[in-house]
Amino acid sequence: MNQQFDNDQVRRRYEELEELVARGVEPYPYSYDRTHTSEQILQTYRDDDPGLLSDVAVAGRIMAIRRMGKATFFHIQDATGSIQCYIKADELPAAYDMLRLLDIGDIVGTKGFVFRTRTGEITVHVRQLELLCKSLRPLPIVKQERDEQGNIILHDAFSDKEQRYRRRYLDLIVNPHVRQTFIARSRMIAAIRRFFDERGWLEVETPILQPIYGGATARPFVTHLNALDMPLYLRIADELYLKRLIVGGFEGVYEISKNFRNEGIDRMHNPEFTALEVYVAYRDYNWLMKLTEELLVTVASHVRGVPALLRVDGTEIPLERPFHRIRLLDAISQAVGEQVESLSRDELYVLCKRHEVDVAPFASYAKLVDELFTTLVQPSLVAPTFITDHPVEMSPLAKRHRDDPSVVERFELYVGGMEIANAFSELNDPRDQRQRFAEQARLRASGDDEAMVLDEDFLTALEIGMPPTAGLGIGIDRLAMLMTGAASIRDVIFFPLMRPEHSPRPVED
RNA sequence: GACCCCGUAGCUCAGUGGUAGAGCAUCUGACUUUUAAUCAGAGGGCCGCAGGUUCAAUCCCUGCCGGGGUCACCA
């Protein structure tokens, strides 16, 4: 064996492994038949009838060992929780001998009967002990203590964010709340699927590798397809493909999948993130606002038990229907204390300067509106609020408002100061859509590298004809943050993007 | 990309211009109902990396690497 040891704890464990093998112990067996999880034992045990659990088999990772000479207590942790085990040397001399070579982190299976100790803890009295996996590296030890109120006090919790994100497996083993966060995320997505499935809408998959990226304004990741010697883009949105499916005759489709945007990384943004998009034929954005309310209330109730979301500071955000609704320009007017509805681009620029909103002198009308909103309004949108009817320049894929052609039928949902949904009555007039693409092309030519690219086939699809359609996108990661009170998007993504730990020096070319 | 902060034992952290310390973890011994087990002892460190200043650098300076935060960017 030519093993490089990082430190003597690792070396010691390799030595133990060899000694176990020398004694005929298989350190990596193939399976283990459990009768109970730790949770099942704790829930089933009855002091007046301990015989109920006279022969259980549990398995898990050793998380604590207390050796007391000829008797030892240890805790094993499984997916449902943890349970204490008790083993006596005189009853099981061989197993007890093997136990001397086991460590915190090893995975074992044990059979025995359940009893309650003098100090009141439900415990498995070990009659048989098997090693199921030898752990060769030390675990970051988290000790926990219970105070008189029963609160759990953690000592020296594994808290270094870099290590937690890089070695999520360790984070999950030693930090129980992390497991809970990801279970909540998974339940949330399951609840969303159920909500749509119940309505008869079809879950679909559309291309992630796209020859033309579209459906949002963002810089893409570029890759290359060798077989056809052509560039491809990782999708920034799936919108244009889902609309093609509505053209094709499906009347309700949704997709939950990763998008990729080559932009900044911060606590709200990860280069790859999960988006939900749903499109429903014959509906408009008014109907979709009600649906969005219902979706959030249903999902939050399922995941959290109450129709409320959670802020980082632990305060709840009740989801009371109907959510606030305010037109985007009205929200800005309110914030600046004057009517902005009919202001020109140049007047808006002056307004920005007056309110110390930092904008470039050549910024477009849409950009100015966006800056004013982001700076002056968005932070205050804690309670769920629909911001509606954006200027048409900001929304190249949304249908013009039926009463005002300068704005579109669009809403964004803000909760806790975060944008979590974006939706519109979908633009299905191919003539208008072509004009909008032309405007995007003009922006692109003038240096806006996030402007949308013309997708001629998408226009062809619209010419074939798309029924009136409402479409909604939800940032799943951000919604998960609000379901769990997470402070950073990294806390709800198992493996957030990190720079390589030992980065090879990039070669300059 | 800019600025600020951080990087010391497996983990959580102290610390000082004279090359280091605690708790837990680890090792040895004691202990047959413990639970942050306890008691006695021991080992463990390129103080992120590379330069510079200095008689002397973990500490001061510069650069780099990694992380966090703020801003910018970004639906």
Side-chain angles (χ1 to χ4, degrees):
Chain A
M1 192 184 294
N2 198 11
Q3 174 70 35
Q4 290 293 313
F5 302 113
D6 289 3
N7 59 60
D8 25 318
Q9 292 197 45
V10 175
R11 185 184 327 112
R12 216 205 78 248
R13 284 172 181 239
Y14 271 91
E15 287 165 3
E16 283 175 347
L17 173 67
E18 290 192 33
E19 186 166 351
L20 285 162
V21 170
R23 292 178 185 202
V25 175
E26 166 55 61
Y28 299 103
Y30 291 86
S31 66
Y32 188 77
D33 290 325
R34 286 191 284 179
T35 61
H36 292 72
T37 63
S38 62
E39 185 180 46
Q40 285 168 337
I41 289 174
L42 296 177
Q43 285 176 352
T44 312
Y45 181 78
R46 293 170 51 127
D47 286 308
D48 55 7
D49 189 5
L52 278 176
L53 296 172
S54 61
D55 193 13
V56 301
V58 286
R61 190 183 296 276
I62 298 176
M63 295 301 287
I65 309 182
R66 289 177 293 283
R67 303 177 201 268
M68 300 182 311
K70 299 193 172 59
T72 292
F73 289 90
F74 56 95
H75 273 89
I76 60 173
Q77 172 175 293
D78 63 17
T80 65
S82 73
I83 184 137
Q84 179 170 260
C85 302
Y86 175 61
I87 181 168
K88 287 165 81 168
D90 56 2
E91 293 177 353
L92 294 169
Y96 203 84
D97 213 35
M98 177 183 77
L99 182 65
R100 290 195 313 105
L101 296 171
L102 300 189
D103 294 289
I104 290 172
D106 290 349
I107 297 170
V108 297
T110 179
K111 294 187 173 72
F113 64 89
V114 182
F115 72 111
R116 188 185 290 275
T117 64
R118 212 147 58 192
T119 47
E121 181 158 351
I122 295 167
T123 301
V124 176
H125 189 119
V126 177
R127 283 172 164 157
Q128 203 181 320
L129 182 67
E130 272 180 59
L131 177 61
L132 301 180
C133 174
K134 181 66 187 161
S135 170
L136 296 170
R137 288 178 177 273
L139 239 39
I141 296 298
V142 180
K143 290 237 169 186
Q144 57 181 43
E145 181 183 18
R146 231 171 256 278
D147 65 13
E148 292 82 29
Q149 283 79 44
N151 301 313
I152 292 175
I153 303 167
L154 292 180
H155 297 273
D156 300 333
F158 180 52
S159 59
D160 183 87
K161 283 184 180 166
E162 179 177 357
Q163 290 305 312
R164 288 185 46 222
Y165 298 145
R166 286 193 195 282
R167 310 211 200 294
R168 184 67 88 181
Y169 41 92
L170 286 179
D171 194 26
L172 286 162
I173 291 169
V174 303
N175 290 327
H177 66 277
V178 175
R179 161 184 294 275
Q180 291 312 314
T181 294
F182 285 99
I183 290 173
R185 178 187 170 117
S186 204
R187 287 204 176 125
M188 179 187 89
I189 292 172
I192 291 170
R193 284 210 164 90
R194 198 174 318 125
F195 185 89
F196 292 142
D197 292 345
E198 278 168 2
R199 284 159 178 75
W201 302 336
L202 195 68
E203 181 169 11
V204 298
E205 294 176 277
T206 64
I208 289 172
L209 291 172
Q210 303 181 346
I212 300 172
Y213 59 96
T217 51
R219 281 188 291 256
F221 287 93
V222 188
T223 185
H224 186 263
L225 175 61
N226 293 335
L228 302 182
D229 190 23
M230 63 182 280
L232 282 174
Y233 304 92
L234 272 64
R235 75 161 166 223
I236 58 173
D238 44 5
E239 171 151 352
L240 302 186
Y241 284 97
L242 291 172
K243 286 181 183 173
R244 284 172 169 95
L245 295 180
I246 298 292
V247 170
F250 293 111
E251 294 177 353
V253 291
Y254 72 95
E255 179 164 17
I256 298 173
S257 170
K258 289 275 177 73
N259 287 343
F260 306 84
R261 297 189 184 174
N262 209 336
E263 310 276 5
I265 302 174
D266 61 29
R267 89 169 96 137
M268 306 282 228
H269 299 87
N270 193 60
E272 63 175 85
F273 64 100
T274 303
L276 155 73
E277 290 201 27
V278 55
Y279 291 81
V280 183
Y282 308 113
R283 300 297 190 180
D284 65 10
Y285 81 138
N286 290 310
W287 174 86
L288 202 45
M289 274 188 257
K290 293 201 188 77
L291 183 90
T292 303
E293 291 170 341
E294 196 180 342
L295 173 69
L296 287 197
V297 167
T298 303
V299 171
S301 302
H302 182 262
V303 173
R304 304 200 56 244
V306 286
L309 297 175
L310 195 61
R311 284 219 270 175
V312 181
D313 62 9
T315 57
E316 302 231 314
I317 305 172
L319 294 172
E320 284 162 10
R321 286 179 283 179
F323 299 169
H324 302 305
R325 288 161 163 74
I326 184 166
R327 297 172 72 250
L328 172 58
L329 291 177
D330 291 344
I332 294 173
S333 295
Q334 252 178 38
V336 300
E338 66 178 282
Q339 188 54 245
V340 301
E341 180 85 46
S342 53
L343 295 186
S344 69
R345 184 261 159 216
D346 290 348
E347 289 165 327
L348 221 47
Y349 181 77
V350 174
L351 188 71
C352 285
K353 287 290 145 191
R354 189 147 18 99
H355 288 273
E356 292 173 347
V357 175
D358 192 27
V359 287
F362 48 83
S364 66
Y365 176 83
K367 182 73 187 163
L368 295 176
V369 171
D370 193 43
E371 281 301 319
L372 283 165
F373 172 76
T374 305
T375 311
L376 302 177
V377 181
Q378 182 176 341
S380 68
L381 299 178
V382 175
T385 304
F386 290 120
I387 296 293
T388 71
D389 300 350
H390 301 58
V392 66
E393 296 87 341
M394 299 173 73
S395 316
L397 300 169
K399 200 165 186 169
R400 284 180 201 271
H401 197 282
R402 60 199 77 184
D403 301 323
D404 178 357
S406 71
V407 298
V408 293
E409 295 200 353
R410 173 180 179 188
F411 69 82
E412 293 177 303
L413 176 62
Y414 287 84
V415 186
M418 266 194 302
E419 181 200 339
I420 61 166
N422 180 30
F424 6 101
S425 299
E426 299 296 339
L427 176 54
N428 64 340
D429 179 339
R431 301 166 305 170
D432 196 3
Q433 184 67 77
R434 186 174 289 280
Q435 275 178 28
R436 307 279 191 93
F437 275 136
E439 173 62 15
Q440 290 292 309
R442 202 184 58 73
L443 288 174
R444 172 164 290 273
S446 70
D448 181 352
D449 57 356
E450 286 168 357
M452 286 187 194
V453 180
L454 172 71
D455 186 335
E456 197 60 58
D457 180 74
F458 174 65
L459 284 172
T460 300
L462 288 190
E463 285 170 348
I464 295 295
M466 182 172 80
T469 297
L472 166 71
I474 291 182
I476 291 292
D477 310 282
R478 290 177 181 183
L479 191 57
M481 290 170 69
L482 288 167
M483 291 284 169
T484 59
S488 166
I489 197 166
R490 292 185 178 122
D491 293 323
V492 298
I493 294 173
F494 274 126
F495 304 102
L497 191 101
M498 301 285 279
R499 229 184 269 263
E501 202 165 4
H502 309 288
S503 62
R505 271 195 92 89
V507 180
E508 298 289 334
D509 53 12

